[in-house]
């Protein structure tokens, strides 16, 4: 079976690799004679593979390839290799990429440096990113902010520096990307309520992204606590804020604060969000159902009761997050089809027909899936972290597509990853 749109088809094949993460040993063989797409997929997949220590030299070598797509793939592979085990050799290789001739390669290496150093925000690591916060290229400024959201997750030392930087920034795109550190600054710490109150008090559209990130930040900071004062702040945003992005993030924040432990009141409030006037808010409220129920094997809503694509996209993803069987598998809207295909990546042991008429998509994803399936990951919390982080990062680094909902899941995955590393 082949879906028409290559995004949907890519998500279908990716869902198989993520769903079967660590299920069986695989062999990663890089001959150098592969097509560009096949080789690129193998390089990305090498970052996940259980044999990544031995594949590291291959990855570093291909960062000097004449083809910029291959160099991007090599840096992506190095990023994920560092995600599993921090390595100064990998860090040095990634830093070399900051000076690549191609902007997209530089961007990939910069974000990858953050990904390879999650929660590892010693002064020296942060200084590597700082100069790029004011880079003349807006994509590099954006990349530096996203890298910060990984590297300094749960470290609030740079909170006000970023607030000031964002006030001075003129590019809306850079603001959106750099805001993610603001939301991750207190992630998992059960702190930051006073700082986020300050941002929530800022009025007007020009400050909406601060209120937006404050809502997400409250959820990530108090994840799973069901803290009543946080719930009240978020409910106030849902009821009174005129900006749809803020209300959307307030729903995300509620789901995160009540992660895996929602009360009936929270459940009812999230369900009411499916009737909001804004499709943006409806989509966020729909995805929030999956966030609050992640891995619980329960979801209260029936997709057959809804026809709005923005709601269906969030609910079909939510079914996957909750790890329940899909109530629907066919949708007219390609956007919803894409969400459904991604949702399979959060389920366990999904079987997929791996044939495809999209040959480049198939050859690229084949190598990535080889790495995912042969990663050797068996720990549930680590599986969850990988499955949450990969889709958003993949779409941004491969297609330059920044999907808001997927990046919310990524922030959840980063927080889970940070917590697991602290436990070790």
């Amino acid at each position: 079976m082949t879906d028409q749109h290559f995004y949907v088809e890519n998500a279908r094949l990716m869902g198989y690799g993520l769903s079967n993460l660590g299920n069986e040993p695989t062999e990663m063989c890089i001959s150098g004679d592969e097509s560009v797409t096949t080789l690129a997929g193998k390089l990305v997949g090498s970052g996940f593979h259980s044999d990544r220590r031995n594949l590291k030299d291959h990855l570093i070598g291909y960062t000097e390839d004449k083809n910029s797509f291959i160099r991007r793939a090599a840096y992506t592979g190095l990023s994920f290799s560092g995600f599993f085990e921090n390595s100064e050799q990998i860090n040095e290789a990634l830093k070399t990429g900051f000076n690549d001739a191609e902007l997209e390669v530089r961007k990939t290496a910069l974000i990858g440096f953050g990904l390879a150093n999650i929660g590892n925000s010693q002064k020296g690591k942060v200084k590597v990113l700082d100069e790029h916060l004011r880079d003349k290229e807006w994509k590099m400024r954006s990349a530096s902010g996203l890298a910060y959201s990984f590297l300094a997750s749960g470290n609030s030392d740079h909170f006000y520096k970023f607030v000031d930087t964002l006030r001075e920034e003129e590019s809306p795109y850079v603001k959106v990307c750099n805001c993610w550190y603001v939301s991750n600054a207190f992630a998992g710490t059960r702190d930051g309520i006073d700082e986020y109150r300050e941002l929530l008090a800022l009025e007007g559209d020009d400050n909406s992204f601060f209120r937006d990130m404050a809502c997400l930040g409250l959820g990530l900071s108090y994840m799973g606590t069901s803290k009543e004062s946080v719930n009240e702040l978020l409910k106030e945003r849902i009821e009174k804020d005129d900006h749809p992005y803020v209300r959307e993030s307030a729903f995300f924040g509620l789901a995160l604060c009540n992660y895996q432990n929602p009360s009936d009141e929270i459940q009812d409030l999230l369900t009411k969000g499916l009737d909001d006037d804004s499709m943006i808010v409806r989509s966020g409220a729909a995805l929030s159902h999956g966030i609050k129920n992640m891995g619980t094997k329960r979801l209260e809503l029936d997709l057959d009761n809804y026809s709005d694509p923005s709601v269906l996209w969030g609910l079909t993803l939510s079914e996957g997050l909750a790890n329940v069987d899909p109530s629907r598998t066919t949708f007219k809207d390609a956007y919803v089809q894409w969400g459904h295909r991604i949702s399979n990546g959060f389920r366990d042991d999904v079987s997929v027909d791996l044939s495809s008429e999209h040959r480049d998509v198939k050859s690229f994803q084949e190598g990535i899936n080889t790495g995912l399936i042969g990663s050797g990951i068996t720990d549930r919390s680590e599986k969850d972290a990988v499955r949450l982080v990969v889709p958003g990062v993949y779409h941004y680094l491969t297609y330059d597509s920044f999907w808001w909902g997927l990046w919310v899941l990524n922030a959840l995955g980063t927080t889970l990853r940070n917590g697991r590393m602290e436990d070790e």
Side-chain angles (χ1 to χ4, degrees):
M1 175 184 176
T2 294
D3 290 296
Q4 288 186 333
H5 198 288
F6 77 94
Y7 257 40
V8 180
E9 182 68 349
N10 195 172
R12 183 177 78 87
L13 297 174
M14 177 192 290
Y16 174 74
L18 289 171
S19 174
N20 291 277
L21 188 66
N23 274 6
E24 61 184 77
T26 60
E27 183 178 352
M28 184 69 75
C29 179
I30 299 175
S31 68
D33 297 326
E34 299 91 345
S35 68
V36 169
T37 53
T38 298
L39 175 58
K42 286 183 176 181
L43 292 172
V44 175
S46 294
F48 298 103
H49 200 273
S50 59
D51 195 29
R52 55 185 167 271
R53 284 186 178 178
N54 292 326
L55 292 164
K56 187 166 51 182
D57 289 339
H58 269 299
L59 289 170
I60 292 173
Y62 277 106
T63 62
E64 299 179 1
D65 196 87
K66 64 181 180 181
N67 187 303
S68 63
F69 184 58
I70 294 297
R71 298 200 302 277
R72 282 168 59 194
Y75 281 121
T76 303
L78 284 170
S79 305
F80 282 114
S81 186
F83 176 86
F84 293 108
E85 56 185 289
N86 191 258
S87 159
E88 282 309 306
Q89 185 184 10
I90 289 175
N91 286 338
E92 290 304 314
L94 288 165
K95 284 191 283 186
T96 300
F98 299 175
N99 299 312
D100 194 275
E102 292 288 333
L103 174 59
E104 290 300 321
V105 179
R106 298 200 301 274
K107 181 188 85 173
T108 299
L110 191 56
I111 293 172
F113 185 85
L115 185 62
N117 288 280
I118 284 181
N120 189 20
S121 54
Q122 300 105 313
K123 190 174 181 180
K125 297 288 190 299
V126 167
K127 287 177 69 175
V128 170
L129 302 176
D130 274 349
E131 65 181 278
H132 301 286
L133 284 173
R134 301 187 184 279
D135 198 287
K136 65 179 180 179
E137 294 284 356
W138 65 266
K139 281 194 175 184
M140 291 296 282
R141 299 200 302 278
S142 298
S144 185
L146 291 174
Y148 250 101
S149 75
F150 286 119
L151 189 150
S153 174
N155 180 346
S156 61
D157 289 351
H158 318 283
F159 184 84
Y160 285 108
K161 175 178 76 176
F162 261 81
V163 170
D164 291 341
T165 299
L166 287 164
R167 290 189 193 285
E168 299 169 7
E169 179 59 56
E170 295 182 358
S171 167
Y173 193 98
V174 177
K175 284 178 181 283
V176 166
C177 291
N178 283 14
C179 267
W180 285 92
Y181 165 70
V182 176
S183 70
N184 279 273
F186 295 92
T189 66
R190 303 189 179 191
D191 198 2
I193 194 167
D194 292 334
E195 287 82 353
Y196 289 128
R197 279 185 197 273
E198 286 184 34
L199 299 188
L200 289 176
L202 300 174
E203 299 179 353
D205 278 4
D206 288 346
N207 288 311
S208 64
F209 64 93
F210 281 128
R211 303 197 304 276
D212 191 344
M213 287 296 111
C215 289
L216 277 170
L218 284 168
L220 291 166
S221 302
Y222 293 89
M223 195 172 86
T225 65
S226 299
K227 188 175 177 66
E228 188 56 33
S229 57
V230 171
N231 285 341
E232 289 301 320
L233 284 170
L234 294 169
K235 284 189 281 187
E236 183 180 15
R237 286 299 104 194
I238 289 169
E239 293 166 0
K240 296 181 179 179
D241 208 294
D242 292 332
H243 206 289
Y245 290 142
V246 180
R247 298 200 304 279
E248 176 195 30
S249 288
F251 278 114
F252 285 137
L254 270 181
L256 290 162
C257 182
N258 297 276
Y259 180 69
Q260 296 183 331
N261 186 36
S263 66
D264 290 341
E265 181 191 5
I266 297 298
Q267 168 66 36
D268 290 344
L269 187 58
L270 293 179
T271 301
K272 288 178 182 176
L274 304 183
D275 296 319
D276 192 277
D277 291 340
S278 167
M279 63 177 290
I280 293 165
V281 181
R282 296 195 300 272
S283 176
L287 181 54
S288 294
H289 282 272
I291 292 172
K292 71 176 175 59
N293 282 337
M294 184 170 173
T296 61
K297 295 187 181 294
R298 63 177 186 272
L299 196 71
E300 300 84 354
L301 301 178
D302 186 344
L303 271 67
D304 286 332
N305 293 332
Y306 301 91
S307 58
D308 177 6
S310 60
V311 172
L312 288 174
W313 178 84
L315 290 184
T316 190
L317 256 177
S318 288
E319 287 188 332
L321 287 165
N323 204 5
V324 300
D325 292 335
S327 58
R328 285 178 62 181
T329 58
T330 57
F331 304 92
K332 292 180 181 179
D333 190 282
Y335 177 62
V336 183
Q337 291 174 25
W338 176 68
H340 170 64
R341 296 305 186 185
I342 291 175
S343 77
N344 278 332
F346 301 111
R347 296 185 174 91
D348 292 322
D349 308 327
V350 170
S351 178
V352 171
D353 177 3
L354 297 177
S355 61
S356 176
E357 294 173 10
H358 291 266
R359 293 182 181 177
D360 285 346
V361 168
K362 182 179 184 297
S363 61
F364 183 51
Q365 193 60 44
E366 204 168 54
I368 298 173
N369 283 352
T370 297
L372 290 168
I373 295 167
S375 65
I377 298 171
T378 56
D379 180 82
R380 167 53 62 182
S381 63
E382 188 163 21
K383 281 194 175 191
D384 286 344
V386 172
R387 289 169 173 175
L388 287 162
V389 167
V390 168
V393 171
Y394 173 90
H395 280 89
Y396 189 52
L397 294 185
T398 305
Y399 299 128
D400 207 22
S401 297
F402 191 90
W403 295 96
W404 192 260
L406 296 188
W407 214 263
V408 172
L409 299 182
N410 171 28
L412 170 58
T414 301
T415 305
L416 291 175
R417 178 68 178 166
N418 237 349
R420 182 179 179 278
M421 291 172 72
E422 289 173 4
D423 291 339
E424 289 178 346

